[in-house]
Amino acid sequence: MGIDPEGRRRREADTVRRAAHWGLSVPEVLATGRCDAGSWSVFRVLPGVPCSVRTGQAVEEYVGHVLGLAERLHRPTPGLTPGSGWTNEGGHPALQHHFLLNQLSPRCRPQPWWADLAASLQPLQSHPVVYLHGDLKPEHLLVDDHRLSVVDWEASARGPAVVDYADVVFHLVRDLLYAGVKPSLVPIDLITRLPFCGPVLAWRLLLWLDRRRPQDIDLIAARDVDRLAAEDQAAAAYASLARAVSALRAAGVPR
Protein backbone atom coordinates (compact mmCIF):
# COMPACT_ATOMS: atom_id res chain seq x y z
CA MET A 1 0.00 0.00 0.00
CA GLY A 2 3.00 2.29 0.20
CA ILE A 3 2.32 3.40 3.80
CA ASP A 4 5.45 4.24 5.82
CA PRO A 5 4.66 3.73 9.55
CA GLU A 6 8.00 5.10 10.78
CA GLY A 7 7.72 8.20 8.62
CA ARG A 8 4.17 8.73 9.84
CA ARG A 9 5.30 8.44 13.46
CA ARG A 10 7.95 11.11 13.06
CA ARG A 11 5.70 13.43 11.09
CA GLU A 12 2.80 13.10 13.53
CA ALA A 13 4.96 13.95 16.55
CA ASP A 14 6.37 16.99 14.75
CA THR A 15 2.94 18.14 13.53
CA VAL A 16 1.30 17.81 16.95
CA ARG A 17 4.00 19.98 18.51
CA ARG A 18 3.55 22.61 15.78
CA ALA A 19 -0.24 22.53 16.10
CA ALA A 20 0.03 23.05 19.87
CA HIS A 21 2.28 26.04 19.25
CA TRP A 22 -0.49 27.52 17.08
CA GLY A 23 -2.93 27.17 19.95
CA LEU A 24 -4.86 24.17 18.62
CA SER A 25 -6.04 21.67 21.23
CA VAL A 26 -4.09 18.50 20.43
CA PRO A 27 -2.81 15.54 22.47
CA GLU A 28 0.57 16.10 24.09
CA VAL A 29 3.26 13.66 22.92
CA LEU A 30 4.50 11.91 26.08
CA ALA A 31 6.90 9.55 24.32
CA THR A 32 7.55 8.20 20.85
CA GLY A 33 9.98 5.76 19.28
CA ARG A 34 10.55 2.53 17.44
CA CYS A 35 11.14 -1.03 18.62
CA ASP A 36 11.05 -4.56 17.24
CA ALA A 37 7.24 -4.49 17.33
CA GLY A 38 7.10 -1.35 15.18
CA SER A 39 6.66 2.41 15.48
CA TRP A 40 4.80 3.75 18.51
CA SER A 41 3.72 6.93 20.28
CA VAL A 42 2.11 7.66 23.65
CA PHE A 43 -0.19 10.68 23.95
CA ARG A 44 -1.84 12.36 26.90
CA VAL A 45 -5.56 11.64 27.00
CA LEU A 46 -7.79 14.56 26.00
CA PRO A 47 -11.27 15.22 27.42
CA GLY A 48 -14.31 15.14 25.18
CA VAL A 49 -16.33 12.78 23.02
CA PRO A 50 -16.06 12.23 19.26
CA CYS A 51 -18.39 14.15 16.98
CA SER A 52 -21.57 12.30 16.04
CA VAL A 53 -23.26 12.11 12.64
CA ARG A 54 -26.32 10.13 13.74
CA THR A 55 -28.82 12.97 13.23
CA GLY A 56 -29.15 15.91 10.88
CA GLN A 57 -28.41 18.30 13.74
CA ALA A 58 -25.28 16.32 14.66
CA VAL A 59 -24.06 16.47 11.05
CA GLU A 60 -24.67 20.22 10.97
CA GLU A 61 -22.66 20.68 14.17
CA TYR A 62 -19.87 18.49 12.84
CA VAL A 63 -19.64 20.46 9.58
CA GLY A 64 -19.54 23.66 11.66
CA HIS A 65 -16.63 22.29 13.69
CA VAL A 66 -14.79 21.38 10.48
CA LEU A 67 -15.22 24.86 9.03
CA GLY A 68 -14.06 26.46 12.28
CA LEU A 69 -10.98 24.22 12.40
CA ALA A 70 -10.17 24.84 8.74
CA GLU A 71 -10.21 28.59 9.31
CA ARG A 72 -7.39 28.19 11.83
CA LEU A 73 -5.57 25.31 10.14
CA HIS A 74 -5.43 26.15 6.44
CA ARG A 75 -2.75 28.80 6.52
CA PRO A 76 -1.11 29.64 3.18
CA THR A 77 2.60 30.06 3.81
CA PRO A 78 5.14 31.47 1.32
CA GLY A 79 7.54 28.79 0.13
CA LEU A 80 5.40 25.89 1.36
CA THR A 81 5.49 22.92 -1.02
CA PRO A 82 3.14 19.92 -1.26
CA GLY A 83 4.13 16.78 0.62
CA SER A 84 3.69 14.66 3.74
CA GLY A 85 3.98 16.26 7.17
CA TRP A 86 4.23 19.96 7.93
CA THR A 87 7.96 20.33 7.30
CA ASN A 88 9.30 21.01 3.82
CA GLU A 89 11.54 18.04 3.14
CA GLY A 90 13.79 19.75 0.60
CA GLY A 91 14.54 18.63 -2.93
CA HIS A 92 12.61 19.74 -5.98
CA PRO A 93 9.19 21.30 -5.29
CA ALA A 94 6.41 18.79 -5.87
CA LEU A 95 3.33 19.53 -7.94
CA GLN A 96 -0.04 19.42 -6.23
CA HIS A 97 -1.46 16.69 -8.47
CA HIS A 98 1.73 14.61 -8.25
CA PHE A 99 1.50 14.70 -4.45
CA LEU A 100 -1.99 13.18 -4.63
CA LEU A 101 -1.30 10.66 -7.38
CA ASN A 102 1.84 9.42 -5.62
CA GLN A 103 -0.31 8.29 -2.69
CA LEU A 104 -1.96 5.70 -4.92
CA SER A 105 -0.16 2.38 -5.29
CA PRO A 106 1.58 1.37 -8.55
CA ARG A 107 -1.26 -1.01 -9.37
CA CYS A 108 -3.43 2.05 -10.12
CA ARG A 109 -1.35 3.29 -13.05
CA PRO A 110 -2.59 0.65 -15.58
CA GLN A 111 -6.20 1.42 -14.70
CA PRO A 112 -8.25 2.95 -17.56
CA TRP A 113 -9.15 6.00 -15.44
CA TRP A 114 -5.54 6.94 -14.51
CA ALA A 115 -4.72 9.37 -17.34
CA ASP A 116 -8.04 11.22 -17.12
CA LEU A 117 -7.77 11.53 -13.33
CA ALA A 118 -4.22 12.87 -13.61
CA ALA A 119 -5.36 15.47 -16.13
CA SER A 120 -8.36 16.52 -14.04
CA LEU A 121 -6.13 17.09 -10.98
CA GLN A 122 -3.64 19.37 -12.76
CA PRO A 123 -5.61 22.61 -12.08
CA LEU A 124 -4.81 22.10 -8.37
CA GLN A 125 -1.43 23.65 -9.10
CA SER A 126 -3.11 27.06 -8.91
CA HIS A 127 -4.47 26.37 -5.40
CA PRO A 128 -2.55 27.73 -2.38
CA VAL A 129 -0.51 25.15 -0.46
CA VAL A 130 -1.77 24.98 3.13
CA TYR A 131 -1.29 22.81 6.21
CA LEU A 132 -3.59 19.76 6.19
CA HIS A 133 -4.77 17.40 8.90
CA GLY A 134 -4.94 14.68 6.28
CA ASP A 135 -7.59 12.42 7.82
CA LEU A 136 -10.54 14.48 9.02
CA LYS A 137 -13.51 12.44 10.19
CA PRO A 138 -15.92 12.55 13.16
CA GLU A 139 -13.89 10.32 15.51
CA HIS A 140 -10.85 12.59 15.16
CA LEU A 141 -12.69 15.66 16.48
CA LEU A 142 -13.38 15.60 20.22
CA VAL A 143 -15.87 18.01 21.81
CA ASP A 144 -15.78 18.90 25.51
CA ASP A 145 -18.43 21.57 26.21
CA HIS A 146 -17.38 24.25 23.70
CA ARG A 147 -13.76 23.13 23.33
CA LEU A 148 -12.72 21.28 20.18
CA SER A 149 -9.68 18.99 20.22
CA VAL A 150 -8.16 17.28 17.20
CA VAL A 151 -6.39 13.90 17.30
CA ASP A 152 -4.68 11.44 14.92
CA TRP A 153 -2.32 13.63 12.89
CA GLU A 154 -0.27 10.81 11.34
CA ALA A 155 -1.47 11.65 7.81
CA SER A 156 -0.73 15.39 8.19
CA ALA A 157 0.44 17.02 4.98
CA ARG A 158 0.87 20.15 2.91
CA GLY A 159 -1.36 20.62 -0.09
CA PRO A 160 -4.61 22.15 -1.36
CA ALA A 161 -7.29 22.74 1.28
CA VAL A 162 -9.85 20.79 -0.76
CA VAL A 163 -8.04 17.58 0.27
CA ASP A 164 -9.20 17.99 3.87
CA TYR A 165 -12.74 18.83 2.75
CA ALA A 166 -12.85 15.80 0.45
CA ASP A 167 -11.80 13.66 3.43
CA VAL A 168 -14.71 15.00 5.47
CA VAL A 169 -17.27 14.42 2.72
CA PHE A 170 -15.98 10.97 1.83
CA HIS A 171 -15.91 9.67 5.42
CA LEU A 172 -19.32 11.14 6.18
CA VAL A 173 -20.97 9.59 3.12
CA ARG A 174 -19.19 6.25 3.49
CA ASP A 175 -19.86 5.86 7.21
CA LEU A 176 -23.55 6.73 6.91
CA LEU A 177 -24.01 4.23 4.08
CA TYR A 178 -22.11 1.48 5.88
CA ALA A 179 -24.32 2.15 8.93
CA GLY A 180 -27.32 1.29 6.78
CA VAL A 181 -28.54 4.78 5.78
CA LYS A 182 -30.10 4.79 2.30
CA PRO A 183 -28.22 6.88 -0.31
CA SER A 184 -31.29 9.09 -0.77
CA LEU A 185 -31.24 9.96 2.95
CA VAL A 186 -27.60 11.14 3.14
CA PRO A 187 -27.86 14.83 4.22
CA ILE A 188 -26.26 16.24 1.07
CA ASP A 189 -27.80 19.67 1.67
CA LEU A 190 -25.73 20.03 4.85
CA ILE A 191 -22.37 18.93 3.47
CA THR A 192 -22.61 21.24 0.46
CA ARG A 193 -21.45 23.96 2.87
CA LEU A 194 -17.96 22.52 2.45
CA PRO A 195 -15.72 23.71 -0.41
CA PHE A 196 -15.85 21.29 -3.30
CA CYS A 197 -13.57 19.79 -5.98
CA GLY A 198 -14.86 16.88 -8.07
CA PRO A 199 -11.44 15.51 -9.12
CA VAL A 200 -10.18 15.43 -5.51
CA LEU A 201 -13.36 13.68 -4.40
CA ALA A 202 -12.82 11.05 -7.10
CA TRP A 203 -9.19 10.68 -5.98
CA ARG A 204 -10.31 10.20 -2.35
CA LEU A 205 -12.74 7.45 -3.34
CA LEU A 206 -9.96 5.68 -5.26
CA LEU A 207 -7.51 6.04 -2.37
CA TRP A 208 -10.00 4.23 -0.14
CA LEU A 209 -10.41 1.39 -2.65
CA ASP A 210 -6.66 1.16 -3.18
CA ARG A 211 -6.13 0.59 0.56
CA ARG A 212 -8.68 -2.18 0.89
CA ARG A 213 -8.19 -5.62 -0.66
CA PRO A 214 -5.90 -5.75 -3.75
CA GLN A 215 -8.77 -6.62 -6.08
CA ASP A 216 -11.12 -3.86 -4.88
CA ILE A 217 -9.59 -1.18 -7.10
CA ASP A 218 -10.90 -3.15 -10.11
CA LEU A 219 -14.51 -2.88 -8.92
CA ILE A 220 -15.04 0.70 -10.06
CA ALA A 221 -15.58 1.54 -13.72
CA ALA A 222 -13.66 4.30 -15.47
CA ARG A 223 -16.94 5.98 -16.46
CA ASP A 224 -17.91 6.33 -12.79
CA VAL A 225 -14.54 7.87 -11.90
CA ASP A 226 -14.73 10.23 -14.87
CA ARG A 227 -18.30 11.24 -14.03
CA LEU A 228 -17.43 12.07 -10.43
CA ALA A 229 -14.27 13.97 -11.41
CA ALA A 230 -16.18 15.98 -14.03
CA GLU A 231 -19.00 17.11 -11.70
CA ASP A 232 -18.96 20.86 -11.19
CA GLN A 233 -21.88 20.98 -8.75
CA ALA A 234 -21.32 19.79 -5.18
CA ALA A 235 -24.81 18.34 -4.63
CA ALA A 236 -24.65 16.25 -7.83
CA ALA A 237 -21.11 15.06 -7.02
CA TYR A 238 -22.01 14.02 -3.48
CA ALA A 239 -25.06 12.14 -4.74
CA SER A 240 -22.84 10.41 -7.32
CA LEU A 241 -20.36 9.52 -4.57
CA ALA A 242 -23.17 8.06 -2.45
CA ARG A 243 -24.32 5.85 -5.32
CA ALA A 244 -20.76 4.65 -6.01
CA VAL A 245 -20.04 3.84 -2.36
CA SER A 246 -23.39 2.07 -2.00
CA ALA A 247 -22.60 -0.13 -5.01
CA LEU A 248 -19.12 -0.92 -3.67
CA ARG A 249 -20.56 -1.82 -0.27
CA ALA A 250 -22.99 -4.19 -2.01
CA ALA A 251 -20.01 -5.71 -3.85
CA GLY A 252 -18.43 -6.58 -0.48
CA VAL A 253 -15.76 -3.88 -0.14
CA PRO A 254 -14.88 -3.64 3.57
CA ARG A 255 -15.33 -0.30 5.30
Side-chain angles (χ1 to χ4, degrees):
M1 296 181 183
I3 296 175
D4 171 23
E6 177 60 12
R8 283 195 163 203
R9 177 192 70 80
R10 294 193 308 269
R11 289 191 292 267
E12 181 175 33
D14 176 69
T15 299
V16 165
R17 294 184 181 109
R18 288 169 176 261
H21 182 71
W22 284 5
L24 295 175
S25 178
V26 295
E28 179 187 355
V29 182
L30 299 179
T32 184
R34 186 179 183 181
C35 63
D36 292 342
S39 302
W40 58 270
S41 294
V42 179
F43 300 96
R44 187 178 301 280
V45 174
L46 288 171
V49 296
C51 286
S52 170
V53 293
R54 294 184 178 180
T55 66
Q57 181 179 350
V59 172
E60 187 170 10
E61 292 174 354
Y62 169 56
V63 169
H65 287 311
V66 168
L67 291 171
L69 172 64
E71 188 175 339
R72 303 179 63 190
L73 178 61
H74 294 157
R75 302 184 180 189
T77 302
L80 199 64
T81 60
S84 299
W86 281 10
T87 304
N88 282 338
E89 297 174 351
H92 298 291
L95 299 176
Q96 301 267 44
H97 64 290
H98 287 168
F99 165 59
L100 298 186
L101 292 171
N102 287 342
Q103 295 181 51
L104 297 170
S105 70
R107 64 170 169 253
C108 292
R109 292 183 178 273
Q111 293 290 335
W113 43 258
W114 178 267
D116 288 341
L117 177 68
S120 71
L121 290 171
Q122 287 187 18
L124 291 176
Q125 193 59 24
S126 65
H127 289 218
V129 179
V130 302
Y131 294 103
L132 303 172
H133 178 276
D135 195 18
L136 284 179
K137 49 188 173 182
E139 56 263 42
H140 292 167
L141 301 184
L142 308 180
V143 180
D144 180 39
D145 291 330
H146 298 293
R147 181 181 178 87
L148 180 71
S149 300
V150 188
V151 301
D152 201 336
W153 293 82
E154 67 174 33
S156 62
R158 312 175 311 279
V162 289
V163 170
D164 267 349
Y165 295 121
D167 257 338
V168 172
V169 172
F170 169 75
H171 285 119
L172 185 56
V173 169
R174 183 200 64 183
D175 291 352
L176 288 173
L177 293 174
Y178 272 68
V181 174
K182 294 181 179 179
S184 61
L185 297 180
V186 173
I188 290 172
D189 57 321
L190 295 176
I191 56 180
T192 52
R193 293 173 56 194
L194 299 168
F196 161 73
C197 178
V200 176
L201 197 61
W203 165 82
R204 189 59 187 82
L205 173 65
L206 293 166
L207 185 68
W208 170 62
L209 282 176
D210 191 32
R211 292 183 175 177
R212 305 272 83 70
R213 302 167 302 184
Q215 70 273 23
D216 287 338
I217 197 66
D218 299 318
L219 294 176
I220 191 163
R223 64 178 179 276
D224 294 325
V225 177
D226 294 343
R227 183 183 302 117
L228 183 55
E231 288 285 7
D232 58 5
Q233 297 294 322
Y238 298 160
S240 180
L241 174 67
R243 289 192 295 271
V245 171
S246 182
L248 291 165
R249 175 177 181 253
V253 177
R255 177 179 175 276

